[in-house]
Amino acid sequence: MSNSYSGQLVPYACDDKKSQGRRYDEPHPTYRNEYQRDRDRIIHSAAFRRLEYKTQVFVNHEGDLFRTRLTHSLEVAQIARSIARELRLHEDLSEAIALAHDLGHTPFGHAGQTALNNCMKGLGGFEHNLQSLRVIDKLEQKYADFDGLNLTFETREGILKHCSVTNAKELGDVGERFINKTQPSLEAQLTDYSDETAYNNHDIDDGIRYGLITITDLLKVELFSEQYDIVNNRYPGLDDKKLLHEIIRRMINVMVVDLIDTSRENIANAKLNSISDVRNQKHAIMSFSTEMNDKKLELKQFLRKNLYQHYRVHRMTKKAANVIDSLFEAFLEDPNILPTEAIQHCNILKERNGDKGLARGIADYIAGMTDRYAIIEYERIFNPRQLSFANFNA
Ligand code: MG
């Protein structure tokens, strides 16, 4: 197998030559390692393309400047690769996990997830992390030999960040660590931190552009004000756009440097020699220093109070929840209005699992929608003007 990283890795990294394998055996790729193939399959998936039109906090069509789940995933991959390379962990694996980590997200970000989870109450619930795994294990239907993308255990493990013990019991190998309380690979751990580092910082950027928070408000947050002082001293009178970028890039940098330095110390203290040493730790090895962790918590609290709970975000949340609730109810009440492919999928699940199966099929269909597709679908079903013959095909 070419392009193996094996020789350059620390002994406790995930080694592409010693992967725990795929759910369905396949010949090794010719010129790529196993995790490169995972990454490539993710990039070529339909769910990945749809990330372009899905958002986290803001609705997709609100403006072209805001992050989408696609640009977010690329930022996470960039941060994760830097950390993995520095710690001589498997860069390709971290990249694959980063690019796939949000594939299961509903339209309309957190609002959509909460709404769909409420719709699925008593019917198995809805959790975006589990859904990401469902997308790559089952819902992508394009390979002749198997459902899903047939990714390696290590990529699948990294995608499933959290999971209840009840759900874990249904998941086989990737569920085991939630039952046995063991740790995932360092590549999975570092990608999780990269996710958090990316969104905490880009939400500041988007929040300011959107006019929900201001630089002055953020001066109350230590992590921000420290970098503000450095930039302001060096470049007095800088315009706001450049000022903000210079602050945010430094914030990402100090967080990443802290994470690498602290984790390196943790690795030395734990005397890691193998991947099983990583898995058998009581706590995750990757971590921020206590000081950085406190600062990060302060930032998160600020964002929760001032950005995520801003009334304008709440209004979007309310509207998004209405769209999701209405679609779910309408489909559940009369599955015959579902498009052909979706109803076929629902019928298969219904045969296996009755009403719960039907509801799961509907949740799969809704979760797969982009923000704009969900709005169009809502219009098609509920707007009486769409009754005209011109819209018959919609
Ligand atoms: Mg994310």
Side-chain angles (χ1 to χ4, degrees):
M1 200 190 323
S2 297
N3 275 316
S4 172
Y5 257 86
S6 298
Q8 304 153 45
L9 300 169
V10 287
Y12 43 86
C14 282
D15 185 338
D16 52 77
K17 285 190 167 157
K18 295 181 193 148
S19 166
Q20 289 187 42
R22 300 173 188 275
R23 296 168 84 208
Y24 306 91
D25 276 344
E26 288 186 71
H28 296 303
T30 316
Y31 294 124
R32 292 172 294 172
N33 69 54
E34 297 290 351
Y35 305 138
Q36 276 179 292
R37 171 149 78 180
D38 281 1
R39 177 205 55 204
D40 297 347
R41 285 186 178 179
I42 291 158
I43 289 178
H44 288 269
S45 69
F48 185 73
R49 288 193 292 278
R50 287 198 295 259
L51 292 178
E52 185 176 0
Y53 302 105
K54 292 193 182 199
T55 35
Q56 309 215 129
V57 182
F58 307 94
V59 173
N60 179 256
H61 57 86
E62 298 264 305
D64 292 340
L65 287 174
F66 303 114
R67 265 69 173 188
T68 65
R69 289 219 179 260
L70 180 64
T71 60
H72 163 68
S73 300
L74 295 174
E75 289 181 25
V76 177
Q78 176 271 316
I79 294 171
R81 287 181 57 186
S82 302
I83 300 168
R85 190 183 296 193
E86 177 56 28
L87 293 175
R88 288 172 55 210
L89 297 163
H90 209 300
E91 199 176 322
D92 294 332
L93 173 59
S94 285
E95 186 184 17
I97 298 169
L99 294 178
H101 85 284
D102 270 355
L103 290 181
H105 267 285
T106 60
F108 313 126
H110 306 297
Q113 135 98 26
T114 310
L116 196 52
N117 189 29
N118 284 335
C119 295
M120 288 293 286
K121 229 175 224 148
L123 296 163
F126 180 89
E127 212 280 308
H128 66 84
N129 235 260
L130 277 177
Q131 190 70 9
S132 296
L133 192 68
R134 201 169 153 74
V135 166
I136 55 136
D137 279 354
K138 296 199 174 92
L139 298 180
E140 281 285 325
Q141 297 269 345
K142 51 193 215 169
Y143 291 89
D145 288 329
F146 42 76
D147 287 345
L149 304 178
N150 199 31
L151 304 181
T152 60
F153 169 83
E154 293 76 21
T155 302
R156 296 171 61 237
E157 166 194 58
I159 291 169
L160 191 67
K161 286 194 278 191
H162 8 255
C163 178
S164 69
V165 173
T166 322
N167 286 330
K169 285 180 184 155
E170 313 273 305
L171 294 173
D173 54 4
V174 278
E176 279 168 21
R177 79 177 158 95
F178 300 98
I179 302 164
N180 303 334
K181 310 239 177 303
T182 56
Q183 306 302 321
S185 71
L186 292 183
E187 286 82 355
Q189 295 181 29
L190 74 87
T191 308
D192 201 6
Y193 275 96
S194 307
D195 181 21
E196 189 184 28
T197 303
Y199 71 68
N200 280 329
N201 284 290
H202 66 49
D203 285 353
I204 295 178
D205 193 24
D206 284 352
I208 288 179
R209 281 170 197 269
Y210 207 61
L212 301 179
I213 49 178
T214 64
I215 292 179
T216 317
D217 296 336
L218 273 153
L219 290 176
K220 288 178 266 178
V221 178
E222 203 179 349
L223 200 52
F224 186 92
S225 68
E226 281 171 354
Q227 300 310 318
Y228 173 90
D229 289 342
I230 291 170
V231 176
N232 208 31
N233 282 334
R234 186 150 169 208
Y235 307 102
L238 202 60
D239 72 60
D240 277 1
K241 197 172 136 194
K242 287 185 179 171
L243 174 66
L244 184 62
H245 178 69
E246 290 291 345
I247 295 168
I248 288 179
R249 77 185 184 97
R250 281 171 174 78
M251 284 174 67
I252 296 175
N253 189 57
V254 292
M255 292 177 93
V256 169
V257 168
D258 181 275
L259 180 69
I260 292 174
D261 291 345
T262 312
S263 305
R264 217 192 308 257
E265 250 180 73
N266 296 345
I267 289 168
N269 292 337
K271 301 192 175 39
L272 300 180
N273 279 313
S274 67
I275 178 84
S276 3
D277 288 349
V278 173
R279 297 192 189 284
N280 292 330
Q281 294 295 312
K282 266 214 176 89
H283 302 287
I285 287 283
M286 296 297 303
S287 76
F288 286 125
S289 63
T290 318
E291 198 194 349
M292 180 57 75
N293 212 37
D294 291 347
K295 288 182 191 171
K296 182 200 75 182
L297 285 177
E298 187 199 26
L299 169 63
K300 281 176 99 93
Q301 275 161 5
F302 173 89
L303 289 174
R304 191 171 316 127
K305 185 161 168 265
N306 298 283
L307 184 61
Y308 310 137
Q309 293 180 359
H310 194 287
Y311 84 93
R312 282 166 63 197
V313 174
H314 272 305
R315 285 187 180 187
M316 291 310 301
T317 306
K318 181 84 189 137
K319 280 185 263 188
N322 283 342
V323 171
I324 301 273
D325 290 348
S326 310
L327 287 175
F328 188 87
E329 261 175 53
F331 295 141
L332 195 64
E333 195 181 274
D334 184 3
N336 293 315
I337 62 170
L338 285 161
T340 314
E341 211 180 310
I343 193 154
Q344 281 167 353
H345 173 66
C346 286
N347 284 339
I348 294 170
L349 297 183
K350 192 180 175 183
E351 234 163 75
R352 264 186 237 152
N353 205 12
D355 285 347
K356 273 191 176 176
L358 170 65
R360 181 61 58 197
I362 294 169
D364 286 338
Y365 178 52
I366 293 177
M369 293 177 183
T370 60
D371 297 0
R372 62 179 191 178
Y373 184 87
I375 293 167
I376 293 169
E377 192 70 335
Y378 179 89
E379 280 279 305
R380 281 175 188 149
I381 294 173
F382 297 103
N383 183 349
R385 278 190 298 268
Q386 297 268 339
L387 264 177
S388 73
F389 192 71
N391 291 314
F392 182 71
N393 289 325

